[in-house]
Amino acid sequence: MVHGRVSRLLVHDVRFPTSLGGHGSDAMHTDPDYSVAYVVLETDAEDGLRGCGLTFTLGKGTEVVVCAVNALAHHVLHRDLKDIVGNFRGFYRQLTSDGQLRWIGPEKGAVHLATAAILNAVWDLWAKQEGKPLWKLLVDMDPRTLLSCIDFRYITDALTEEDALEILQKGQVGKKEREQILTHGYPAYTTSCAWLGYPDDLLKQLCAAALKDGWTRFKVKVGADLQDDMRRCRLIRDLIGPDRTLMMDANQRWDVPEAVAWMSKLAEFKPLWIEEPTSPDDILGHAAIAKALAPLGIGVATGEQCHNRVVFKQLLQANALQFLQIDSCRLGSVNENLSVILMAKKFGTRHQEDLTLLESDPCLWGNHRTLSCDGPHGSHCCQMSSTQGRGCVNTWITYMSTSSILCTSSRPPTCLHRLLNGNEGGFCKETPVSRWRSLEEAPCCSRKLALSYTTSTP
């Protein structure tokens, strides 16, 4: 039973200098520093449980999201958790319909990223209080209760609440059997081998290591130079062989005709999909690309920078994608994810989660960066891949959440453990905004935390 009143909201600006090694680099984001605005909710409940949620950024701009979190904080502070989840649809709409803040959205941009972080923390706290991983909290819900968490405004021309109820009721059949996925892990792929900034020697080394670990699905970044793409794709295809799956990701680099022409050249390498071939806002452009590439057997995947359920609705209505990639840190958390997943079910489109809500579980949502899947380590469903395989940037976050009970393979770095728990050696408590540079050890992927800020809203 949920309980307690939210008494405090903390938000941390946490950044990693991933750009130094080319980790995460692609055709549009050549120097990303993987970062998060990390929200912690505390309550007056005696159990001491805290809700942890985040949204993802690439370095600069995280401070903007932190400001947006603080601007929204009054909607959650001093509220009973029971009242929030008892009218979750209303609470979601309150956050997304703030009469002044929605002007710098609405339901998009920094203010929606901040909304996601707060909602992610609420979901995490709810799951912890129920003593369940989030996926289990969701699948154990009565269908009507689950639907009460969703805002159907703007999508009823594609999915009504009655449609969604029918889908969920039919889905009750075989639900227990589907949970057997816990025994072997959720199907996924690795991008860790083929970031665009990696030299060939490192690419070969990482591909060999991934193959040894049992990976069968690989994604390569493309889009900067056609001849270089041809060479790198040939190298990777030769390394992984003809029977393993290859995907490609252009990260929004091309115009529509350019995307079709470019992928026609890369078709010889048999990619399953091209991800983000053009602007994430161009619904008709994606539809044109999907239609042109269908005879080549290449699907279109997109979603990690789609603002909200309305954009996804239009992509589905226009038959503009074959693989739908939701992001709990871009959309309005699980609430909005649910609406998109249900629309995908109705339209018959495959979905996956691009950047996981770490306090949920990939066994329900799927996770673009989950190292669970087809390798011998499949039981560790929450391991993350950001550079060189297991236990990198985000491992500490999954560990910190008690609702991520499947994450059993790694511990958080001491520096981040202190950051989030406020132990001795962590943040200075004398000022509301302070810097913390002391690192006893690097994160487990050997990247150091460059700079962190924290603010507190009592």
Side-chain angles (χ1 to χ4, degrees):
M1 181 66 67
V2 291
H3 54 276
R5 175 170 293 192
V6 178
S7 58
R8 193 181 187 198
L9 182 151
L10 294 152
V11 56
H12 304 286
D13 178 336
V14 186
R15 309 185 189 190
F16 298 84
T18 52
S19 59
L20 298 179
H23 311 306
S25 56
D26 59 57
M28 290 294 280
H29 311 97
T30 57
D31 60 346
D33 286 331
Y34 274 28
S35 308
V36 295
Y38 195 91
V39 171
V40 181
L41 296 180
E42 298 178 354
T43 75
D44 59 7
E46 294 182 357
D47 56 25
L49 293 174
R50 300 188 298 174
C52 302
L54 61 84
T55 192
F56 177 75
T57 59
L58 294 184
K60 287 182 292 186
T62 313
E63 69 276 9
V64 177
V65 181
V66 167
C67 287
V69 169
N70 283 321
L72 288 166
H74 67 281
H75 290 294
V76 66
L77 285 169
H78 313 303
R79 295 280 300 275
D80 287 335
L81 185 62
K82 182 178 179 180
D83 293 339
I84 290 174
V85 302
N87 182 22
F88 218 154
R89 179 184 298 170
F91 179 69
Y92 177 91
R93 188 170 290 190
Q94 182 181 349
L95 282 177
T96 58
S97 302
D98 182 292
Q100 296 181 12
L101 289 175
R102 79 179 301 275
W103 191 258
I104 58 172
E107 297 187 68
K108 63 175 72 71
V111 71
H112 210 45
L113 297 179
T115 298
I118 293 172
L119 288 169
N120 288 346
V122 171
W123 279 103
D124 183 56
L125 182 58
W126 186 5
K128 285 173 179 174
Q129 289 193 355
E130 296 289 352
K132 299 178 180 181
L134 180 50
W135 72 267
K136 186 63 173 171
L137 174 70
L138 292 166
V139 300
D140 285 351
M141 280 187 192
D142 172 82
R144 294 186 185 276
T145 303
L146 192 67
L147 293 179
S148 72
C149 301
I150 300 172
D151 187 354
F152 284 89
R153 182 163 57 180
Y154 307 136
I155 62 171
T156 54
D157 55 326
L159 178 79
T160 65
E161 190 165 350
E162 291 73 23
D163 294 333
L165 179 61
E166 183 179 355
I167 290 170
L168 290 176
Q169 288 175 335
K170 289 180 178 178
Q172 298 299 302
V173 179
K175 185 166 67 174
K176 291 295 183 182
E177 290 76 9
R178 291 195 299 275
E179 289 186 26
Q180 294 305 307
I181 196 170
L182 295 173
T183 64
H184 53 78
Y186 198 98
Y189 60 86
T190 178
T191 314
S192 300
C193 307
W195 296 113
L196 198 62
Y198 281 177
D200 288 357
D201 287 345
L202 181 58
L203 188 152
K204 292 177 183 177
Q205 174 190 335
L206 295 176
C207 272
L211 288 166
K212 185 177 180 180
D213 281 345
W215 285 93
T216 63
R217 303 173 182 92
F218 298 77
K219 190 172 80 174
V220 57
K221 296 290 185 175
V222 298
D225 180 88
L226 179 57
Q227 294 308 312
D228 190 55
D229 286 349
M230 297 281 288
R231 181 186 57 78
R232 293 173 71 250
C233 289
R234 182 171 290 108
L235 176 62
I236 294 171
R237 177 54 82 188
D238 289 345
L239 285 167
I240 69 175
D243 298 326
R244 294 183 178 90
T245 303
L246 182 66
M247 293 84 85
M248 299 178 184
D249 186 355
N251 290 96
Q252 313 154 39
R253 180 62 181 257
W254 302 317
D255 284 347
V256 172
E258 188 180 18
V260 174
W262 205 295
M263 287 309 300
S264 296
K265 296 289 187 181
L266 297 180
E268 66 176 278
F269 304 108
K270 305 298 182 185
L272 175 65
W273 74 56
I274 176 61
E275 184 174 334
E276 289 196 309
T278 192
S279 166
D281 299 334
D282 191 351
I283 286 87
L284 297 182
H286 277 86
I289 294 167
K291 183 177 180 180
L293 296 183
L296 300 176
I298 302 172
V300 169
T302 197
E304 73 176 12
Q305 290 207 13
C306 288
H307 301 299
N308 51 52
R309 63 197 179 281
V310 180
V311 177
F312 278 111
K313 177 190 75 171
Q314 294 175 69
L315 286 165
L316 290 165
Q317 288 172 327
N319 196 27
L321 76 172
Q322 287 70 52
F323 301 90
L324 185 153
Q325 297 169 317
I326 51 176
D327 184 339
S328 299
C329 303
R330 172 72 60 177
L331 296 179
S333 185
V334 175
N335 310 70
E336 196 163 28
N337 276 357
L338 288 168
S339 67
V340 176
I341 290 171
L342 287 163
M343 283 192 289
K345 178 65 175 178
K346 181 177 178 180
F347 282 84
T349 303
R350 296 173 64 179
H351 76 271
Q352 64 172 119
E353 179 152 330
D354 184 71
L355 202 148
T356 188
L357 163 58
L358 296 170
E359 286 71 24
S360 73
D361 200 282
C363 292
L364 179 64
W365 303 117
N367 177 10
H368 178 121
R369 294 188 176 94
T370 300
L371 278 181
S372 57
C373 308
D374 45 24
H377 307 287
S379 61
H380 303 314
C381 289
C382 290
Q383 295 181 49
M384 303 295 290
S385 164
S386 295
T387 56
Q388 298 181 24
R390 299 178 196 81
C392 287
V393 171
N394 292 319
T395 310
W396 58 276
I397 298 169
T398 55
Y399 180 94
M400 296 305 297
S401 170
T402 57
S403 67
S404 290
I405 60 172
L406 289 182
C407 187
T408 59
S409 60
S410 56
R411 63 183 181 86
T414 299
C415 57
L416 296 177
H417 201 297
R418 289 179 172 177
L419 184 157
L420 293 176
N421 285 303
N423 294 335
E424 182 179 353
F427 282 91
C428 169
K429 302 297 182 183
E430 297 177 359
T431 58
V433 180
S434 55
R435 295 190 180 188
W436 183 72
R437 294 176 182 273
S438 175
L439 298 177
E440 287 195 355
E441 59 182 85
C444 44
C445 54
S446 300
R447 294 199 303 271
K448 291 186 177 180
L449 179 64
L451 178 64
S452 293
Y453 297 86
T454 183
T455 63
S456 174
T457 306

